Amino acid sequence: MDAMSVGSVEASCHRLRPLVDPASIAIFGASADPKRLGGVPISLLRQHKFAGAIYPINPKYQEIDGLTCYPDIAALPGPVDVIVIAVGAAEVVPVLRQAAAKGIRAAVIYAAGFAEAGDTEGIALQAELVRCADELGIVVGGPNCMGFGNLDNHAYSTFTAVFRTVPPPAAPRTVGLVTQSGSVCSAVYAAGRAMDVRFNLFINTGNEACVDFSEYLEYLADRPGTEAIVGYLEGLRDGVRFQKVAARMRDEGRPLALLKAGGSDKGIEAARLHTGADAGSAAAYRAVFERLGVIPARDILHLADIAYLSRFRARTSGRRVAILTISGALGALLSDLFTGNGVTVPTLSQSVQALLRQGVPRYGMAQNPVDFTGNIVNSHTFVGDALDAILASGEVDFVVLYASGFLIDRFAESLAQAAQKSPRMVAAIATGTVAARATLEEAGVAVFEDPARAAAALSSMACWHDNRRLYEGIPVAPAPVPSGAVLEFLKAARAADRKNFSGVEAAKLLAAFGVTMPCEVVEGASHRQGDGAELCIDIRNDPILGPVLRVSPAGDWPEALNDHALASLPLPRDFAIRSMKSLRGWPLLARTCDDAAIAAAGVVIENLGSGVLMLGSSFERATVMLWLSSRGQSKVAAVDVVLTNG
Amino acid sequence: MDAMSVGSVEASCHRLRPLVDPASIAIFGASADPKRLGGVPISLLRQHKFAGAIYPINPKYQEIDGLTCYPDIAALPGPVDVIVIAVGAAEVVPVLRQAAAKGIRAAVIYAAGFAEAGDTEGIALQAELVRCADELGIVVGGPNCMGFGNLDNHAYSTFTAVFRTVPPPAAPRTVGLVTQSGSVCSAVYAAGRAMDVRFNLFINTGNEACVDFSEYLEYLADRPGTEAIVGYLEGLRDGVRFQKVAARMRDEGRPLALLKAGGSDKGIEAARLHTGADAGSAAAYRAVFERLGVIPARDILHLADIAYLSRFRARTSGRRVAILTISGALGALLSDLFTGNGVTVPTLSQSVQALLRQGVPRYGMAQNPVDFTGNIVNSHTFVGDALDAILASGEVDFVVLYASGFLIDRFAESLAQAAQKSPRMVAAIATGTVAARATLEEAGVAVFEDPARAAAALSSMACWHDNRRLYEGIPVAPAPVPSGAVLEFLKAARAADRKNFSGVEAAKLLAAFGVTMPCEVVEGASHRQGDGAELCIDIRNDPILGPVLRVSPAGDWPEALNDHALASLPLPRDFAIRSMKSLRGWPLLARTCDDAAIAAAGVVIENLGSGVLMLGSSFERATVMLWLSSRGQSKVAAVDVVLTNG
């Protein structure tokens, strides 16, 4: 067994320590059958030689697999970090009480049939569970979960069989895995291990009755050694905590990648029925993820591939790729795939092309994609020289080399040397097996055996590098603690039974908090005869994610064709302008308004966002109609602020 | 060796027979080294025990691997179907002349450095090659190609090593593989064989100097036993022939799936530099593919997966799926994936749900996705009953069951029985290996080991079934043979040096061919004060694909936001209306015009298309501004027809 992880010591003051990093485990409802729920964790702990104490509990047995089996919790001989409760939903709470009486501080509950069932019985059972856990001061994982796998000290409180067949990772273990589904957790673990991803913790959160996804994320981020976290998410419960830990990961240059269910109506419905989580608006999640540098994964293998690439996170990347290939077709296909994933394939400068032309035959290509053609078979030195020249040129952010597996093997030394000389990302893409995989990876070269998977994962990392540089240090929305002035205003508004503030009145409201609209504020539609462009700014308070701002051109057509941009707050003016410019119809708007009007609009949007943040959770919705004139000024044509009830 | 295929006999009158289905092979530039270009085909023919004659040609050797090696072509003792020419570009033509003198009817040319090089030298070499082949009456595959692999009789004229390591398919071999890239051909072959796809022919077309992609397609479609064709395409040279064979495959219910490069500017550039093919407009190809029922593949594995699914083509499918799962999360993720691929996940009727509720626990789901939960582990009979009920309900077109690999194995018998009772598509989706794969496939159940790949491939087949029913029997654009009246008109127009015909004049022009605009034709913009909706109909003559019609709402915003639909001709009125209704902004248009106006617009578009087809290749472009009124009528507000020069 590996030494107990540094993490389990240093993070010991966190309340999740006994749950996630336990030194001793009891199993209530233990079974001698290693295929039953109460048997799997025991067999895993034995198989991987967990060094801590293991206490099976079941009056039916005297011993299981050489371990003393105890008749009940009271009979346990020593202190226990975590108890696995492998019984039905109705029996859970009494067991929890006995565990607390014995001084046990954490429990994992497998049973389903709590709130996710959606019926009165399940909801009541979960409410009772939460009450009981709070009262007893016991930390509960689940219910409706598969439990935890600790790859550092082999503490398994899980019934997933994946650890039985998939070999565990060697140290250093650096990738946290946290999901709201046990099946997805197992699938990502297996797919990641196939590429030797070094997971440290396997966490299946289930119903999150007592501990939510964001708290696990926080624990993982705090735990020494975690360099990346990958996860599966249906819906968040604590959006503020989530945004804080995600922004920290971003600012520390540690990848956080999430596969989020709920991209379709049916997906949202299924997620709600599955763990009771509200999947929320997919578009709002996308906006928040982008700001936070959270990498959106599109499926299980994509998530596993990003986990794999996190090993190379110290290598710089960005949205410009050079594609080197021995096949013109793969050059074309990879160009299509990278472009479709938001990465550009810039034409190389004449000087780099001239250098490449020394080894690329006349029927190859030197522009980018660079097609060495099959002729390169025996010229691995030239492949190295070409890589060096392109990496040193500064014209691209990362480089990929496509060849058949056996050719990648032949070029391995050149590839490794080029990568070692450069701080940039280098990847080998093969069809067929690459025997030199480990050597290449050791030298910092990522290796893929499918072009489409490679392009998807490398693009995600490239965009992440770009995003994290762009948004680094931009704070997340503060926790909704209204200021004194705001509280006073809200009190007066409530006393007067006021909820809606429109036009000039709403502008005055915001001005009262020091938030100015640096534009003339006019009422209603009187501006329409002017020339210029009209924008609609709409901010809604997402119950989980907080205020999300939407900017769209005003008018029937932009609305019908769904032209809009979303952003989370605060939104500094430069980013507000960036949002406006990201509209598909921006070129049309830009024709009719000038830079000064656009700059003023950026300030209006920034200030409106500040005002909304001050209103905190009292805020429901705000709308501003903004007129950008062709004569150097903007007008706030209408303001509408809606407060929450009560 | 298998018996010589029926195909090679029945298709014997086709000029490609000796090239693709040869009974004897000579190798010019033969090598005793099985790793060199001139050595690979010999070693493959020997390894797989090709029963026909093999004639190595090289004055350096007396014999190669027990075969007599001949000093030159003149010395060959017997008739030869195809000669592989494994020498450099400059030496090819003289060899071709010697081969023709010996009565050889077909040649495969490996060498690159012809037209794809893009320089004077290469273009001249290819022109000389074409002239020589025409003059000699010899059929040439390539140049710049990897050659052919015949899996029926093991006639390999290829230097790809994939046949050395990947085991060949057993009979019946039903899937043709034809690509413009040798690397892609090998990659698709290897990926397909991993799922036991039964390829019959492996064709790499290369530069297509003498035989183009469409002719190979036609040969494959004619060859008895071919049930599906998959391929990789950069650009077509003979669009008319392509559309004919694709429409035939569609009408015969045989899948044709193509991975098309050129979805990005860089992809188009790379394709042109690779094989000299013009990738054309990706949007025009998409429109033509949809009409023809050509399945668009997105990457190499997707293409291989569609080849795999073609085995189940006799099972009906369509755009409505039922998702059965043991994991709520996979239910949500598969819902997102299917929805994103154009498939719907309809809520099941109350009666089907009631039946499912008998076995689904209260914390599961019965709506669709149907979440059995992990509880189903021991209830494989119920899984069978649920499958039967859903398949028999007629509420969905196909069914997928997600579970871990070992559970799929446990459910295998129930799955197989349900599939055998139903004509509909049934698929098992696992994470992990499915041991019962062969048994399931035998019973008609497709098996996938990755959810995202499964959803992508099954959705493609579902949309194909839907499209082929929709478009079945609709003819492709006829070959451009103008009628007598049209020819007379064109002669007069050219004599008068007329190229453009606008407004009322253009309508009269069309009327002269019997094509009427069943609406008032007005000049210019005078209609604009009416209420209603304005559409722009634009038809351009793609040099390869023929006329492609584009319909879009008129106005700056729809144009900026790129709201349009494309369709190939002829376009019957119902399909014209379908195109209008597929516009994203259609709801906005529909608010302002009535059904009679829409119906009239459908007739205008159909007729305009007919007129354009009559003009044939003399036609360059036509534009119609169409006004759909809210008072029961349409107006043709402007017509503009442009003819080609000369």
Side-chain angles (χ1 to χ4, degrees):
Chain A
M1 198 203 70
D2 300 309
M4 289 290 289
S5 81
V6 182
S8 61
V9 178
E10 305 216 354
S12 62
C13 56
H14 197 288
R15 72 174 192 133
L16 298 192
R17 206 277 306 154
L19 184 69
V20 178
D21 279 302
S24 50
I25 301 183
I27 300 95
F28 189 92
S31 169
D33 179 350
K35 283 184 181 156
R36 297 189 68 88
L37 294 198
V40 181
I42 298 171
S43 77
L44 290 176
L45 291 163
R46 300 292 277 173
Q47 177 185 341
H48 296 288
K49 304 188 172 48
F50 174 60
I54 310 169
Y55 301 115
I57 304 168
N58 192 334
K60 275 172 42 187
Y61 305 99
Q62 297 290 325
E63 61 102 31
I64 292 176
D65 196 16
L67 298 166
T68 306
C69 188
Y70 299 87
D72 52 39
I73 292 173
L76 294 178
V80 175
D81 270 347
V82 67
I83 184 165
V84 175
I85 303 182
V87 295
E91 301 167 60
V92 164
V93 166
V95 176
L96 212 59
R97 291 196 182 280
Q98 294 159 32
K102 187 71 186 178
I104 299 176
R105 297 146 66 195
V108 174
I109 301 174
Y110 291 165
F114 287 88
E116 88 287 356
D119 55 11
T120 326
E121 184 190 344
I123 291 167
L125 268 178
Q126 185 154 326
E128 192 193 349
L129 172 68
V130 173
R131 251 196 327 273
C132 176
D134 282 350
E135 174 200 322
L136 301 170
I138 197 165
V139 175
V140 169
N144 185 24
C145 83
M146 280 195 190
F148 304 82
N150 186 315
L151 288 313
D152 279 334
N153 72 352
H154 292 295
Y156 299 99
S157 57
T158 178
F159 65 84
T160 180
V162 76
F163 298 111
R164 192 174 287 152
T165 48
V166 176
R173 286 167 290 267
T174 57
V175 181
L177 171 59
V178 51
T179 81
Q180 290 181 334
S181 152
S183 295
V184 175
C185 218
S186 304
V188 173
Y189 182 79
R193 291 296 304 131
M195 292 174 290
D196 195 21
V197 172
R198 309 289 180 89
F199 294 106
N200 54 15
L201 290 177
F202 169 109
I203 296 173
N204 171 220
T205 68
N207 280 14
E208 304 179 2
C210 303
V211 185
D212 94 312
F213 193 85
S214 306
E215 191 174 352
Y216 289 113
L217 268 191
E218 194 183 72
Y219 184 83
L220 279 169
D222 284 342
R223 196 171 184 274
T226 301
E227 293 181 5
I229 304 174
V230 297
Y232 165 76
L233 183 66
E234 297 185 346
L236 286 170
R237 286 167 176 86
D238 187 341
V240 172
R241 194 196 286 246
F242 171 79
Q243 295 188 52
K244 265 190 191 156
V245 64
R248 182 149 66 86
M249 293 286 287
R250 174 198 68 195
D251 291 348
E252 292 167 3
R254 296 191 287 168
L256 166 60
L258 295 175
L259 172 59
K260 166 86 176 60
S264 63
D265 289 348
K266 269 290 170 179
I268 291 170
E269 182 186 316
R272 192 180 59 247
L273 293 166
H274 178 221
T275 51
D278 180 353
S281 148
Y285 268 96
R286 263 198 302 277
V288 170
F289 279 13
E290 190 198 322
R291 164 72 68 97
L292 296 168
V294 175
I295 305 170
R298 60 177 73 156
D299 58 54
I300 289 168
L301 291 182
H302 187 215
L303 189 65
D305 288 343
I306 293 167
Y308 167 69
L309 281 183
S310 72
R311 180 186 315 190
F312 308 95
R313 76 193 169 93
R315 294 194 161 264
T316 62
S317 184
R319 289 178 195 257
R320 300 170 304 163
V321 66
I323 300 168
L324 281 55
T325 173
I326 60 145
S327 153
L330 265 297
L333 289 174
L334 283 167
S335 294
D336 287 348
L337 290 166
F338 276 114
T339 305
N341 286 314
V343 167
T344 60
V345 187
T347 299
L348 296 169
S349 66
Q350 287 305 321
S351 59
V352 174
Q353 285 194 41
L355 198 148
L356 293 171
R357 274 292 170 201
Q358 293 172 19
V360 171
R362 48 179 258 281
Y363 48 86
M365 317 179 205
Q367 289 89 328
N368 189 19
V370 176
D371 180 11
F372 293 126
T373 79
N375 231 31
I376 204 69
V377 170
N378 297 308
S379 314
H380 47 86
T381 325
F382 177 67
V383 171
D385 294 345
L387 277 163
D388 288 345
I390 293 169
L391 286 164
S393 73
E395 296 172 24
V396 296
D397 300 304
F398 68 110
V399 176
V400 300
L401 171 65
Y402 168 81
S404 58
F406 74 91
L407 272 185
I408 292 290
D409 287 335
R410 200 176 291 187
F411 300 149
E413 202 183 313
S414 303
L415 260 164
Q417 282 174 4
Q420 277 161 340
K421 277 182 254 172
S422 171
R424 297 188 199 277
M425 186 69 202
V426 178
I429 305 176
T431 41
T433 308
V434 176
R437 172 182 279 277
T439 314
L440 285 166
E441 288 169 348
E442 191 59 38
V445 179
V447 180
F448 286 92
E449 289 172 8
D450 177 62
R453 280 176 67 175
L458 288 164
S459 299
S460 289
M461 288 301 283
C463 295
W464 173 72
H465 276 284
D466 214 42
N467 267 2
R468 74 183 180 83
R469 281 191 294 262
L470 183 66
Y471 294 110
E472 192 177 357
I474 294 187
V476 297
V481 181
S483 71
V486 173
L487 285 172
E488 207 166 298
F489 161 79
L490 291 172
K491 199 174 150 193
R494 265 162 210 150
D497 206 17
R498 297 285 318 269
K499 222 187 121 198
N500 294 278
F501 300 84
S502 295
V504 175
E505 193 188 26
K508 279 185 189 156
L509 183 165
L510 293 170
F513 310 148
V515 174
T516 56
M517 298 282 121
C519 293
E520 184 189 354
V521 177
V522 295
E523 290 281 356
S526 61
H527 61 282
R528 287 256 183 186
Q529 69 265 31
D531 59 348
E534 200 178 11
L535 290 176
C536 176
I537 316 297
D538 190 65
I539 309 182
R540 284 167 199 240
N541 211 359
D542 183 285
I544 300 294
L545 300 173
V548 177
L549 183 142
R550 181 187 196 276
V551 56
S552 59
D556 287 345
W557 275 107
E559 191 184 313
L561 303 182
N562 204 20
D563 190 21
H564 69 265
L566 291 179
S568 56
L569 299 182
L571 192 63
R573 58 198 69 181
D574 289 351
F575 289 88
I577 292 172
R578 196 184 150 85
S579 287
M580 291 188 260
K581 291 189 173 174
S582 75
L583 295 168
R584 282 177 290 144
W586 178 252
L588 200 55
L589 296 173
R591 257 191 254 157
T592 54
C593 54
D594 73 359
D595 287 351
I598 294 166
V603 178
V604 170
I605 294 172
E606 174 180 326
N607 288 359
L608 184 74
S610 306
V612 156
L613 286 176
M614 277 189 224
L615 286 166
S617 60
S618 302
F619 159 79
E620 185 178 307
R621 182 176 171 176
T623 314
V624 169
M625 298 303 293
L626 196 60
W627 185 255
L628 283 65
S629 137
S630 59
R631 287 184 299 273
Q633 45 163 209
S634 289
K635 279 183 194 172
V636 175
V639 193
D640 192 44
V641 175
V642 182
L643 303 178
T644 48
N645 279 318
Chain B
M1 199 203 72
D2 300 308
M4 289 291 288
S5 81
V6 183
S8 63
V9 179
E10 303 216 355
S12 63
C13 55
H14 198 288
R15 71 173 193 134
L16 298 192
R17 204 278 305 155
L19 184 68
V20 179
D21 279 301
S24 49
I25 301 183
I27 300 96
F28 189 92
S31 170
D33 179 351
K35 284 185 181 155
R36 300 191 66 88
L37 295 197
V40 181
I42 298 171
S43 76
L44 290 174
L45 292 162
R46 301 292 278 172
Q47 176 184 342
H48 296 288
K49 304 189 173 49
F50 174 60
I54 310 168
Y55 302 114
I57 305 169
N58 191 335
K60 274 171 44 186
Y61 303 100
Q62 297 290 324
E63 61 101 34
I64 292 177
D65 195 17
L67 298 166
T68 306
C69 188
Y70 299 86
D72 51 41
I73 293 174
L76 294 176
V80 175
D81 270 347
V82 67
I83 184 166
V84 175
I85 303 182
V87 295
E91 301 167 60
V92 164
V93 166
V95 176
L96 211 60
R97 291 196 181 279
Q98 293 159 31
K102 186 73 186 179
I104 299 175
R105 296 146 66 195
V108 174
I109 300 173
Y110 291 165
F114 288 87
E116 89 287 356
D119 55 12
T120 325
E121 183 190 344
I123 292 166
L125 268 178
Q126 184 154 329
E128 192 194 348
L129 171 69
V130 172
R131 249 194 329 272
C132 176
D134 282 352
E135 175 201 320
L136 302 171
I138 196 163
V139 174
V140 169
N144 186 23
C145 83
M146 280 196 189
F148 304 82
N150 187 315
L151 288 313
D152 280 334
N153 72 353
H154 292 296
Y156 299 100
S157 57
T158 178
F159 65 85
T160 180
V162 76
F163 298 110
R164 192 174 286 154
T165 49
V166 176
R173 288 167 288 267
T174 57
V175 181
L177 172 59
V178 52
T179 82
Q180 291 181 333
S181 151
S183 295
V184 175
C185 217
S186 304
V188 173
Y189 183 79
R193 290 297 303 131
M195 294 175 288
D196 195 21
V197 172
R198 310 287 180 89
F199 295 105
N200 55 15
L201 290 178
F202 169 109
I203 296 174
N204 170 219
T205 68
N207 279 15
E208 305 180 1
C210 304
V211 185
D212 95 312
F213 194 84
S214 306
E215 191 174 353
Y216 289 113
L217 268 190
E218 194 184 73
Y219 185 83
L220 280 168
D222 284 344
R223 197 172 184 271
T226 301
E227 293 181 4
I229 304 174
V230 298
Y232 164 76
L233 183 65
E234 297 185 347
L236 287 170
R237 286 167 176 86
D238 187 340
V240 173
R241 194 196 286 244
F242 172 79
Q243 295 189 51
K244 267 190 188 157
V245 63
R248 182 148 67 86
M249 293 286 287
R250 175 197 68 196
D251 291 349
E252 291 167 3
R254 296 190 287 167
L256 167 60
L258 295 176
L259 171 59
K260 167 84 175 64
S264 63
D265 289 347
K266 269 291 171 178
I268 291 170
E269 180 187 316
R272 191 181 57 247
L273 293 168
H274 178 221
T275 53
D278 180 353
S281 146
Y285 268 95
R286 264 199 303 278
V288 170
F289 278 12
E290 190 196 322
R291 163 72 67 95
L292 296 168
V294 175
I295 305 169
R298 61 176 73 157
D299 57 52
I300 289 168
L301 291 182
H302 187 216
L303 188 65
D305 289 342
I306 293 166
Y308 167 69
L309 281 181
S310 73
R311 180 186 315 192
F312 309 95
R313 75 193 170 92
R315 294 194 161 265
T316 62
S317 183
R319 289 179 195 258
R320 301 170 304 163
V321 66
I323 300 168
L324 282 55
T325 173
I326 60 146
S327 154
L330 264 297
L333 289 175
L334 283 167
S335 294
D336 287 347
L337 290 168
F338 276 115
T339 305
N341 286 314
V343 167
T344 62
V345 188
T347 299
L348 296 169
S349 67
Q350 287 304 321
S351 60
V352 175
Q353 286 195 41
L355 197 148
L356 293 171
R357 275 289 172 205
Q358 293 172 19
V360 171
R362 48 178 258 282
Y363 49 86
M365 317 177 203
Q367 290 88 326
N368 189 19
V370 176
D371 181 12
F372 294 126
T373 80
N375 230 32
I376 203 69
V377 171
N378 298 308
S379 313
H380 48 86
T381 327
F382 177 68
V383 171
D385 294 346
L387 276 164
D388 287 347
I390 293 169
L391 286 165
S393 72
E395 296 174 22
V396 295
D397 301 304
F398 68 109
V399 177
V400 300
L401 171 65
Y402 169 82
S404 58
F406 74 91
L407 273 184
I408 292 290
D409 286 336
R410 201 179 288 188
F411 300 149
E413 202 181 314
S414 302
L415 259 165
Q417 282 174 7
Q420 277 161 342
K421 278 183 254 172
S422 171
R424 294 186 203 279
M425 186 69 203
V426 179
I429 304 177
T431 41
T433 308
V434 177
R437 171 182 280 276
T439 315
L440 285 166
E441 288 169 348
E442 191 61 35
V445 179
V447 180
F448 286 92
E449 290 171 9
D450 176 63
R453 280 177 66 174
L458 288 163
S459 299
S460 289
M461 288 301 281
C463 295
W464 173 73
H465 276 285
D466 214 42
N467 267 2
R468 71 184 182 84
R469 283 190 293 264
L470 183 67
Y471 293 109
E472 191 176 359
I474 294 188
V476 296
V481 182
S483 71
V486 172
L487 286 173
E488 206 166 301
F489 161 78
L490 290 172
K491 199 175 148 194
R494 267 166 208 148
D497 206 17
R498 296 284 317 270
K499 222 188 119 194
N500 294 276
F501 300 85
S502 297
V504 175
E505 193 189 25
K508 279 185 187 156
L509 182 166
L510 293 169
F513 311 145
V515 174
T516 56
M517 300 279 119
C519 295
E520 184 188 354
V521 177
V522 293
E523 290 282 355
S526 61
H527 60 281
R528 287 252 183 187
Q529 70 264 29
D531 57 351
E534 198 178 12
L535 289 176
C536 176
I537 317 297
D538 189 64
I539 309 181
R540 285 168 199 239
N541 211 0
D542 183 285
I544 300 295
L545 300 172
V548 177
L549 184 143
R550 180 186 196 275
V551 56
S552 58
D556 287 345
W557 276 105
E559 192 185 312
L561 302 183
N562 204 18
D563 190 22
H564 70 265
L566 290 179
S568 56
L569 300 182
L571 192 64
R573 58 198 70 182
D574 291 351
F575 288 87
I577 292 171
R578 195 184 152 83
S579 287
M580 289 188 261
K581 291 189 172 172
S582 75
L583 294 169
R584 283 176 288 144
W586 177 252
L588 200 56
L589 295 174
R591 257 191 253 157
T592 54
C593 54
D594 74 357
D595 287 351
I598 295 166
V603 178
V604 169
I605 295 172
E606 175 180 327
N607 288 359
L608 184 73
S610 307
V612 157
L613 287 176
M614 274 190 228
L615 286 167
S617 59
S618 302
F619 160 79
E620 184 179 308
R621 182 175 172 178
T623 314
V624 169
M625 298 303 294
L626 197 58
W627 186 253
L628 283 65
S629 138
S630 59
R631 289 185 298 271
Q633 45 160 209
S634 288
K635 279 184 195 169
V636 174
V639 194
D640 192 44
V641 175
V642 182
L643 303 179
T644 48
N645 279 317

